[in-house]
Amino acid sequence: MNTPSPRVALITGGSRGIGAAIVRRLAADGFAVAINYASSAADAEALAAEIRQAGGRATAVRADVSKAADVRAMFDQVEADLGRIDVLVNNAGVLTLQTLADTTDEQYDQTFDINTRGTFNTLRVAGTRLADGGRIVNISSTTLALNMPTYGLYIASKAAVESFTRVFAKELRGRHITVNAVAPGPVATDLFRKGKSPELIEHFAKMPPLERLGQPEDISGVVSFLASQDGGWINGQVLRANGGIA
Ligand code: NAP
């Protein structure tokens, strides 16, 4: 289904890492982009300025996705700034590595509040406010296939995101909106590097048969495809983008 251009994409956690690559790629694809951030205001504003400088349309919008009121206000602001929302990319996320036995209540709450409730909050609003013919892409993780020790909390929070993806694709029947997830393997960002030794990073880099870490652009290209005309027949799926790890 075609909608008039330019289409508008909202990327949560678009200030840094994979989210910033998705912002740049969708802007290059011709989308007007809304760059959500929680605390990295300077990064988000600089990225919006970079896109405007290149002739695109961009706005930066602060919202903690774990807060329902923030998310509703974010949709209001993006609609006011850019007219409507056609594509929602749920990219905002955090990673805490801890054995289950040693996980604190605070770690549990933070992980599920941002990764799971944050995605739920935006999906719930998108259910009534995303334009017909739109696209939703949720960022999950290949760690679901690996079940590595200390990743339990993170994997569980993303397993819920994959479940939302499959069910929401069916609940949106009649709206011509696709809902998919992309599940990256290790990608060279702050989230991945934090707390890891150079040796451990090298170990992760050797895991895929393609023998390197993913780059944010490896993931933004997949999101671009799912948001494009060519990706329009893919719905309710999880695409693993990981160089062949699993
Ligand atoms: P990153 O570099 O740490 O960036 C995280 C982004 O999420 C930042 O833009 C941050 O914004 C935003 N964010 C965090 N909490 C937020 C909140 N409460 N509300 C709104 N935004 C929030 O991480 P990344 O590696 O790019 O990860 C992006 C996504 O990919 C995550 O969902 C992650 O789980 C997933 N992923 C990453 C990898 C990997 O190896 N890197 C692998 C698989 C999946 P602020 O700076 O403004 O807080």
Side-chain angles (χ1 to χ4, degrees):
M1 186 175 185
N2 290 314
T3 51
S5 59
R7 283 156 62 89
V8 176
L10 165 61
I11 299 95
T12 70
S15 54
R16 298 186 287 119
I18 293 170
I22 294 169
V23 166
R24 286 194 175 92
R25 176 60 192 262
L26 293 184
D29 290 347
F31 286 89
V33 287
I35 305 163
N36 160 251
Y37 64 94
S39 56
S40 299
D43 289 346
E45 293 293 354
L47 184 52
E50 173 192 316
I51 286 161
R52 287 194 291 264
Q53 197 107 36
R57 286 182 76 197
T59 189
V61 50
R62 203 211 75 82
D64 177 345
V65 294
S66 72
K67 305 266 192 315
D70 276 23
V71 167
R72 278 192 294 272
M74 172 172 72
F75 273 72
D76 290 345
Q77 188 186 324
V78 176
E79 286 173 354
D81 289 353
L82 300 174
R84 62 169 193 277
I85 304 172
D86 301 285
V87 174
L88 167 67
V89 182
N90 277 310
N91 166 81
V94 291
L95 168 67
T96 295
L97 297 179
Q98 186 59 274
T99 59
L100 284 182
D102 289 327
T103 295
T104 64
D105 291 344
E106 290 71 25
Q107 288 172 328
Y108 183 96
D109 287 345
Q110 193 215 24
T111 299
F112 276 86
D113 276 354
I114 296 175
N115 295 358
T116 310
R117 185 188 295 276
T119 300
F120 163 74
N121 280 339
T122 60
L123 293 180
R124 182 170 53 179
V125 179
T128 52
R129 292 172 65 171
L130 207 72
D132 286 357
R135 303 286 168 83
I136 297 174
V137 182
N138 298 322
I139 305 298
S140 179
S141 170
T142 282
T143 53
L144 266 74
L146 301 175
N147 296 309
M148 295 175 291
T150 73
Y151 279 78
L153 202 56
Y154 180 72
I155 290 171
S157 74
K158 293 289 190 178
V161 168
E162 294 196 2
S163 294
F164 290 156
T165 301
R166 296 190 179 95
V167 173
F168 207 43
K170 294 183 179 173
E171 290 181 351
L172 291 178
R173 175 182 289 275
R175 302 274 314 281
H176 304 281
I177 295 172
T178 67
V179 188
N180 293 291
V182 176
V187 178
T189 67
D190 295 344
L191 175 142
F192 166 74
R193 286 199 195 92
K194 196 175 133 204
K196 293 189 177 74
S197 67
E199 294 73 30
L200 187 56
I201 290 173
E202 191 53 26
H203 169 76
F204 274 99
K206 291 287 182 218
M207 279 173 78
L210 298 182
E211 294 190 310
R212 65 170 176 84
L213 291 177
Q215 295 300 318
E217 293 71 24
D218 291 316
I219 309 307
S220 61
V222 181
V223 174
S224 164
F225 166 66
L226 289 173
S228 74
Q229 288 279 352
D230 283 346
W233 194 234
I234 299 175
N235 193 16
Q237 305 301 312
V238 178
L239 259 66
R240 290 189 184 146
N242 59 30
I245 288 181

